[in-house]
Amino acid sequence: MAEPESDISDPVVQNPNNEEEEDVYEQSDDVEDDDEDEDEDEDEDLESQKAKLRNRFQNFFRRIQHESVPIRVHDVVIKGNTKTKDTLIEAETASLKDASTFKELFAASSDVNFRLQALEIFDSVKITLDSGPPELPGTANVIVDVVETKSPLLGEIGVFNKGELRFLMIDFVLVIASSSTLEGTLKYKNIFGYGDLWDGSLAYDCDHKAEVSAGVFLPGFKGLVNPVTARLFLQSQDCLKFSSFKERSLGLSLGLFSTRNHDVVYNLAWRTLTDPSRTASSSVRGQLGHGLLSSLKYTFKIDRRNSPLRPTRGFAFVSTTQIGGLAPDSRSLRFLRQELDLRCAIPLGFYHSALNLGISAGVVFPWGSGFSSMPSPLPERFFLGGNLSPVCTLGGPTSLWGFRTKGLGPTEPRRQFQNNPADENADSGRDYLGGDLAVAAFADFSFDFPSKWLSAKGIHGHLFASAGNVDKLTENSYRNFSLQKFTQSFRSSVGVGVVIPTNLFRMELNYCNILKKFGEDRGKSGFRVSFSSPS
C-alpha cells in the first residue's frame, strides 16, 4: 500500500539552495571577520591618535613650564557682570595684557582670579584661555566669566576666644577664666557696582572692651591707584582692673595706601580718659581728660614663613612707625612710636621639628617743646604679658608666656580711701603704667608625636622659653637708664605643651614655669590654655 504523498520527503525539494546557503554563510563569515579586523584597526588608529595627542599636550605643557614660549594677549573678554562696572574688572585684569610668555600668562591669570575673588562680590570666577584671531598668530584671548553674588546682604556673628584660659586651684576647686569676644557684622556688597563694600559691626570683649563701627571699602580702579578704606568708630575700653582708667574714643580711620608689603593709615580720634573709681594713681590722674589723636601710621611687613600657625621654615619682619600730633591743637597728643619684630623658623629634619626664634622691641617718646620732661600718652605705651602665643602673633612686643595681661613693668600705688582711719594697712592696689621701652624674645622647639593620627591632625608638642622687660624713659627717666640694669631685670619663663592648630586659630595647652619675676609682677607657674590667631 502506497504512503501518502505528503509524507514523501525529498531532500532536494525541501532544501534546494542548501549548497548556496552554505556558500553565503561562508561569505558572511568572511565579511564579519573583515569587519572585525577593520574595527580593530580603527580602534588601534584611534588609540594611537589619542596617544600622539596626549604626548603633544604633555610636551607642550612641559615646554611652557620650563621654557619661555612667547604669547601676546590680543583681547580680554568679560562676561557675566550685570551690575558690576566693566571698569572695575578691567582694572583688576590689566596685568593680563602685560604677559609675554605662557608662564607669565598662567601666573597672571591665577593672580587675577585671586584678586577678583577677594572683592567678595562674585560667587565664582572662571578664566579661560582661547586662541587669538587666525590672522594674528601667536596671540590669545582671555575670557573672564564671573557670576555675581545672588545675595548682596550678608550677616555674620561669632564668638572668638583670645588670650588665655587660666586654671587656678581655689580650695581644691578648678576655676577656669576665659576671654572671649562676641562680634556681629552686617555687610552690603556692590551697591553702586564699583566693588564697594559697606559694613557695620558690633563687638564686645569679656575684658570690658566694646566697639561700634561702620566702614566702606573701595577697590583700586580708574584714578585710584590703591584700594581706599574709611571707617567711623566708637570704642570704649575699661582698664580699671589694670590701670584705674576708662578710655573712650570717637573717630575716623582712613586707609591711604595698601599693598602686599606696605600699609599707610591715618587716624583721627577724640579720646577721653576717666576714672570712675576715683582711686587712680597720681601718674594716671595726670593723664585724665580729653585728647586729640591725629596720627599717621606706616607698616612694612614681609612674611616668608610657610605657615603662620606652625612655621617650620622661613622668616618674617614687621616695622611699624607712628607719628602723632599732626593737628594744630594744644590737646593734640604728640608722640613718636616705633616697633620692630623679627622671626625666623629653622627646620631640624626629624619628626617635622623646627626651632622658632623671635625678638621684638618698641619705643615711644613724646615730641614738642619740653618733650624730655613730658610723659608719653598712657594708651600708647607698651604692656607685656598675656598668654597669646608669640609664634603666630606678629607685630611687636606684647606677649610673655606665664604672665597675665599687662602683668609686669612699672607700677604705682593707687590712691587710698580708708573708711577706718585707724586701719593703716589698708591698700587699694597698684596701677600698671606700662613702659616707653619694651623688649621681648622667645624660642620655641616644635615636634611631631610618634603617632600617625596626631600628625595627620597637625597636633604636635613644643618646648618654649620667653623673656622680656619694659622700662620708663620719659620725664627725664632716660638719664638714669642703664642697659645692664635693664637686661638684668628681664622676666623669664619656660614650659612645655601641646599645640592643636585649626584653620582659624592656634590652641595651646601649656605648663608654664616662671623663672624670674619681681614683687609686683602678676605671673604664676601652672597650666594655661591659650587661643591665638595669626596677625
Side-chain angles (χ1 to χ4, degrees):
M1 182 174 158
E3 293 181 0
E5 189 176 283
S6 60
D7 293 336
I8 298 174
S9 59
D10 189 346
V12 176
V13 176
Q14 297 239 347
N15 190 6
N17 299 324
N18 185 45
E19 294 179 0
E20 296 179 2
E21 287 182 3
E22 290 178 359
D23 293 339
V24 171
Y25 293 153
E26 292 176 359
Q27 293 176 3
S28 65
D29 291 340
D30 294 338
V31 171
E32 290 178 359
D33 292 340
D34 293 340
D35 291 340
E36 291 177 359
D37 293 339
E38 291 177 0
D39 292 340
E40 291 178 359
D41 292 339
E42 290 178 358
D43 292 339
E44 291 178 358
D45 292 339
L46 185 60
E47 290 296 330
S48 177
Q49 292 177 3
K50 288 182 178 179
K52 291 180 180 178
L53 188 62
R54 190 182 303 110
N55 290 332
R56 286 178 61 187
F57 273 110
Q58 290 177 353
N59 293 333
F60 174 73
F61 282 110
R62 192 179 299 111
R63 183 187 173 197
I64 64 178
Q65 287 177 356
H66 298 89
E67 300 179 14
S68 296
V69 181
I71 190 68
R72 184 173 63 85
V73 176
H74 173 259
D75 192 16
V76 178
V77 182
I78 301 172
K79 296 181 178 180
N81 58 312
T82 57
K83 185 176 182 180
T84 307
K85 307 296 183 183
D86 287 341
T87 52
L88 172 64
I89 303 179
E90 289 171 356
E92 297 293 337
T93 58
S95 60
L96 293 172
K97 293 189 176 182
D98 297 333
S100 58
T101 64
F102 269 103
K103 193 173 183 179
E104 292 178 359
L105 184 56
F106 287 154
S109 299
S110 176
D111 184 60
V112 166
N113 192 305
F114 175 79
R115 291 207 307 266
L116 290 175
Q117 293 278 13
L119 294 176
E120 299 184 21
I121 60 175
F122 301 119
D123 286 337
S124 67
V125 177
K126 183 171 66 174
I127 298 179
T128 307
L129 305 183
D130 197 4
S131 59
E135 62 272 13
L136 296 175
T139 62
N141 290 333
V142 181
I143 303 173
V144 181
D145 194 356
V146 299
V147 177
E148 295 179 335
T149 182
K150 295 180 181 179
S151 177
L153 190 63
L154 175 65
E156 299 175 349
I157 188 170
V159 178
F160 306 96
N161 287 316
K162 64 178 183 178
E164 60 188 276
L165 291 176
R166 298 183 299 275
F167 291 79
L168 305 176
M169 294 298 294
I170 301 177
D171 296 333
F172 303 100
V173 178
L174 185 64
V175 179
I176 304 177
S178 65
S179 175
S180 302
T181 300
L182 174 65
E183 184 173 338
T185 304
L186 188 64
K187 298 181 180 180
Y188 200 94
K189 307 175 183 179
N190 211 19
I191 297 178
F192 301 108
Y194 293 107
D196 46 304
L197 180 62
W198 303 76
D199 74 275
S201 65
L202 174 65
Y204 179 77
D205 196 308
C206 289
D207 286 335
H208 307 290
K209 181 178 180 180
E211 180 178 353
V212 180
S213 62
V216 59
F217 167 82
L218 291 175
F221 69 100
K222 286 188 176 180
L224 297 177
V225 180
N226 293 283
V228 173
T229 59
R231 190 160 206 87
L232 288 169
F233 61 87
L234 174 61
Q235 188 180 84
S236 176
Q237 184 171 6
D238 186 347
C239 297
L240 293 173
K241 183 178 180 181
F242 310 109
S243 306
S244 299
F245 73 90
K246 279 188 175 183
E247 176 187 355
R248 176 173 293 181
S249 298
L250 173 64
L252 170 69
S253 177
L254 185 63
L256 302 178
F257 182 83
S258 181
T259 63
R260 187 184 300 271
N261 302 116
H262 307 274
D263 190 66
V264 179
V265 178
Y266 173 74
N267 291 307
L268 180 65
W270 184 252
R271 177 186 290 172
T272 305
L273 301 183
T274 60
D275 174 27
S277 65
R278 300 178 64 189
T279 61
S281 60
S282 60
S283 295
V284 174
R285 291 198 306 270
Q287 299 212 20
L288 299 179
H290 301 290
L292 179 63
L293 175 65
S294 176
S295 68
L296 193 66
K297 179 188 288 188
Y298 166 68
T299 302
F300 172 76
K301 180 178 181 179
I302 181 171
D303 193 346
R304 300 291 175 80
R305 298 175 298 174
N306 60 333
S307 170
L309 289 174
R310 187 191 178 183
T312 55
R313 65 177 181 273
F315 70 95
F317 174 74
V318 174
S319 171
T320 303
T321 305
Q322 186 178 6
I323 177 171
L326 304 179
D329 191 287
S330 59
R331 288 168 292 186
S332 182
L333 303 174
R334 295 182 173 89
F335 63 92
L336 295 172
R337 195 174 194 266
Q338 177 65 51
E339 295 176 81
L340 299 173
D341 202 337
L342 178 63
R343 306 293 175 85
C344 179
I346 305 171
L348 300 179
F350 59 94
Y351 283 105
H352 198 214
S353 59
L355 178 63
N356 277 270
L357 302 173
I359 183 170
S360 57
V363 61
V364 59
F365 218 81
W367 66 272
S369 178
F371 70 93
S372 60
S373 59
M374 296 168 54
S376 57
L378 186 58
E380 308 302 333
R381 295 179 187 173
F382 296 96
F383 293 86
L384 285 182
N387 280 297
L388 288 173
S389 173
V391 175
C392 62
T393 52
L394 184 64
T398 53
S399 57
L400 205 63
W401 275 301
F403 290 87
R404 295 180 61 182
T405 303
K406 299 182 179 181
L408 59 93
T411 64
E412 191 172 295
R414 293 175 179 174
R415 186 164 52 176
Q416 298 181 5
F417 290 95
Q418 298 182 4
N419 295 327
N420 184 4
D423 187 4
E424 298 178 355
N425 297 322
D427 189 4
S428 58
R430 303 184 71 88
D431 283 337
Y432 287 82
L433 305 178
D436 306 309
L437 173 66
V439 177
F442 77 92
D444 182 276
F445 169 65
S446 61
F447 55 90
D448 278 353
F449 292 112
S451 169
K452 293 183 179 180
W453 185 86
L454 293 176
S455 298
K457 300 294 184 181
I459 302 174
H460 61 279
H462 73 143
L463 303 171
F464 57 85
S466 63
N469 194 14
V470 293
D471 205 350
K472 183 179 180 180
L473 296 178
T474 56
E475 298 180 293
N476 295 316
S477 296
Y478 67 92
R479 297 176 179 176
N480 300 321
F481 177 79
S482 168
L483 183 61
Q484 181 180 2
K485 182 180 178 181
F486 181 74
T487 54
Q488 289 177 351
S489 58
F490 264 54
R491 285 75 163 173
S492 58
S493 63
V494 296
V496 62
V498 178
V499 181
I500 305 176
T502 68
N503 294 330
L504 299 177
F505 57 86
R506 170 188 171 109
M507 177 180 174
E508 295 184 5
L509 294 84
N510 298 326
Y511 178 81
C512 301
N513 181 38
I514 304 297
L515 297 181
K516 189 176 183 180
K517 70 172 185 175
F518 294 93
E520 305 301 335
D521 294 341
R522 295 190 301 169
K524 185 178 181 181
S525 299
F527 290 97
R528 299 286 190 277
V529 179
S530 67
F531 299 85
S532 305
S533 300
S535 60

